[in-house]
Amino acid sequence: METLAPFTEVIDEIKAAGGDIFRFCYQCGKCDTVCPWNEVRDFSMRRIIREAAFGLSEIEGEDIWRCTTCGRCPDQCPRGVKQIDISVSLRRVASDYEIFPQSVKSARTARASLISEGNPLQGEREHRADWAKDQGVETFSEGMELLYFAGCYLSYDPRMKKVARATVDLLKAAGIEFGILGSRESCCGESIRKTGSEQVFKDLARANIKAFVDSGVKKILVSSPHCYHTFVNEYPEFMVHFEVVHIAQYLRELISQGKLDCSASYAKKTAYHDPCYLGRHNQIYADPREVLRAVPGLELLELPESGRNSLCCGGGGGRIWMDTPLSERFSDIRLKQAREAGAEILATACPYCITNFEESRLNLEYEDVLEIKDLTEIVRLSIEE
């Protein structure tokens, strides 16, 4: 491990890594008020920003790795301080010095898997399309209407493969000509960038962009808000622009055009959870709700801390790969809110959220009282066979 540079040099490194915006902070503390961490423990983003201004005295601690990049604090900040940029810049500096607390070790494993196999789950690249076996899914070729970019969790995680298959069923039912890239698909890179591994992000992005261009891709459908955010807001840094649509938007379009007929009743009290990277980061709130309202019999419930103020599941900013004590999991709070609202179903549209919610469902022993569903799974149950 390298020796930490004098604080004046560390300040320069933080600025070079993109964190010089901290100079605008006047320590009002609004970030601490809205941060979800303060629902489970004592945590201060304001303190981190103040320390950054003086060279960050506690770079070896856990706190710079806690931020889930949920977007609550920059959304509320009266001075326009980009707290997420500051968090990421601090992580870049820590990564350069190879300073990682114990809880972050698993994120380093994810990084190694991303470098070697193009995904964080240690799945072999050649098996990336195994989820689509027996689904009759074609490899994308130029001229197809749509590329379905399933993403890492839907390609490798057993629970999330169900969402990928439901999505394929819906695309086929709607008569959409689409294909997948299979082993040529790599992680979008959003989360590893948030952990400070900028070069790994760039390598993944360039690999995907090359695959898109070589295949003649024009329109991309994604299931993950993190993929959506990166393709829409970060890949243009490489001077490319693709038409990108999230599955919540696309389902609303297909239903409104009459290409999907939600005719079967799904008489369940269903609460919808806004993923941070779909809602706050990209302002997509109405589409998933309109999709759920189109399902006959479904009673849509609103949760506390919804919409712009939605509670983070805890998986953003690379936290999905880090260790979080049971007593500090935001997802437990969310499931309790859903139960108190009388929900039978907690619906969302993000693989990170579903992964965390399913784990909390087991931890809280809610298996018999609350189900976790992706939008596609609900719509799939509602269309005619």
Side-chain angles (χ1 to χ4, degrees), residues 192-347:
I192 198 63
R193 187 181 215 184
K194 299 303 188 298
T195 67
S197 296
E198 182 69 7
Q199 189 58 52
V200 177
F201 162 74
K202 289 180 178 179
D203 292 343
L204 292 166
R206 289 180 179 125
N208 277 326
I209 291 168
K210 184 179 187 304
F212 297 161
V213 173
D214 289 350
S215 301
V217 172
K218 292 182 172 61
K219 186 173 183 177
I220 306 171
L221 173 68
V222 297
S223 291
S224 171
H226 297 266
C227 296
Y228 179 88
H229 177 82
T230 303
F231 292 162
V232 170
N233 301 304
E234 298 183 337
Y235 276 27
E237 295 173 21
F238 300 89
M239 307 304 294
V240 293
H241 298 271
F242 303 97
E243 182 182 356
V244 184
V245 61
H246 185 269
I247 187 62
Q249 299 170 304
Y250 202 54
L251 286 177
R252 183 182 185 182
E253 178 183 330
L254 294 177
I255 292 170
S256 66
Q257 293 175 348
K259 293 182 179 180
L260 285 178
D261 180 19
C262 295
S263 57
S265 177
Y266 189 74
K268 300 282 189 178
K269 293 181 178 179
T270 304
Y272 176 70
H273 165 80
D274 292 278
C276 301
Y277 274 77
L278 195 62
R280 265 187 303 276
H281 283 283
N282 289 288
Q283 307 304 307
I284 299 174
Y285 298 110
D287 295 294
R289 288 172 169 80
E290 288 304 309
V291 169
L292 292 172
R293 290 190 181 103
V295 176
L298 185 147
E299 181 182 346
L300 181 60
L301 307 176
E302 287 291 350
L303 295 171
E305 299 179 274
S306 66
R308 179 181 175 185
N309 296 314
S310 182
L311 178 67
C312 177
C313 78
R319 291 292 312 182
I320 192 72
W321 308 321
M322 301 180 200
D323 297 329
T324 304
L326 290 177
S327 62
E328 297 180 2
R329 297 185 180 183
F330 308 161
S331 50
D332 283 10
I333 298 174
R334 200 48 153 175
L335 262 64
K336 291 174 183 177
Q337 290 177 341
R339 285 289 295 141
E340 290 170 2
E344 300 169 88
I345 306 293
L346 178 57

Side-chain angles (χ1 to χ4, degrees), residues 108-252:
R108 298 180 70 187
T109 302
R111 182 178 67 178
S113 180
L114 284 164
I115 294 170
S116 63
E117 300 293 345
N119 71 85
L121 303 174
Q122 302 179 64
E124 296 179 2
R125 178 178 284 279
E126 58 265 34
H127 294 304
R128 192 172 182 105
D130 282 3
W131 66 268
K133 287 182 178 178
D134 304 322
Q135 292 283 110
V137 180
E138 297 182 16
T139 299
F140 183 89
S141 60
E142 189 167 1
M144 283 186 172
E145 179 179 350
L146 192 71
L147 168 69
Y148 177 41
F149 188 96
C152 299
Y153 275 75
L154 276 73
S155 296
Y156 292 103
D157 181 79
R159 168 65 182 91
M160 297 312 304
K161 287 180 183 179
K162 298 177 182 179
V163 176
R165 293 176 183 132
T167 303
V168 166
D169 287 344
L170 294 176
L171 293 175
K172 288 184 174 181
I176 305 301
E177 185 184 16
F178 71 99
I180 61 174
L181 289 177
S183 61
R184 290 185 296 151
E185 178 183 297
S186 296
C187 178
C188 69
E190 183 276 326
S191 291
I192 198 63
R193 187 181 215 184
K194 299 303 188 298
T195 67
S197 296
E198 182 69 7
Q199 189 58 52
V200 177
F201 162 74
K202 289 180 178 179
D203 292 343
L204 292 166
R206 289 180 179 125
N208 277 326
I209 291 168
K210 184 179 187 304
F212 297 161
V213 173
D214 289 350
S215 301
V217 172
K218 292 182 172 61
K219 186 173 183 177
I220 306 171
L221 173 68
V222 297
S223 291
S224 171
H226 297 266
C227 296
Y228 179 88
H229 177 82
T230 303
F231 292 162
V232 170
N233 301 304
E234 298 183 337
Y235 276 27
E237 295 173 21
F238 300 89
M239 307 304 294
V240 293
H241 298 271
F242 303 97
E243 182 182 356
V244 184
V245 61
H246 185 269
I247 187 62
Q249 299 170 304
Y250 202 54
L251 286 177
R252 183 182 185 182

Side-chain angles (χ1 to χ4, degrees), residues 332 335-336 339 357-370:
D332 283 10
L335 262 64
K336 291 174 183 177
R339 285 289 295 141
F357 291 159
E358 290 286 15
E359 188 166 342
S360 285
R361 185 167 165 257
L362 294 175
N363 294 337
L364 297 172
E365 299 182 348
Y366 280 2
E367 300 101 301
D368 298 329
V369 294
L370 185 67

Side-chain angles (χ1 to χ4, degrees), residues 374-385:
D374 186 84
L375 289 181
T376 55
E377 295 177 304
I378 293 175
V379 175
R380 177 66 186 85
L381 289 169
S382 182
I383 66 171
E384 292 184 354
E385 293 292 338

Side-chain angles (χ1 to χ4, degrees), residues 4 10-11 13-20 22 44-45 47-61 63-65 67 83-97 99-100 193-196:
L4 193 63
V10 174
I11 292 175
E13 290 181 20
I14 294 169
K15 290 180 178 179
D20 61 334
F22 59 67
S44 178
M45 177 59 71
R47 182 176 64 245
I48 289 174
I49 295 171
R50 187 64 171 171
E51 289 175 349
F54 290 99
L56 194 66
S57 60
E58 294 187 20
I59 197 169
E60 297 182 6
D63 278 359
I64 66 167
W65 299 97
C67 178
Q83 289 89 347
I84 292 174
D85 289 356
I86 293 172
S87 293
V88 172
S89 70
L90 299 179
R91 293 173 181 184
R92 286 182 192 167
V93 174
S95 296
D96 288 344
Y97 284 101
I99 297 174
F100 300 100
R193 187 181 215 184
K194 299 303 188 298
T195 67

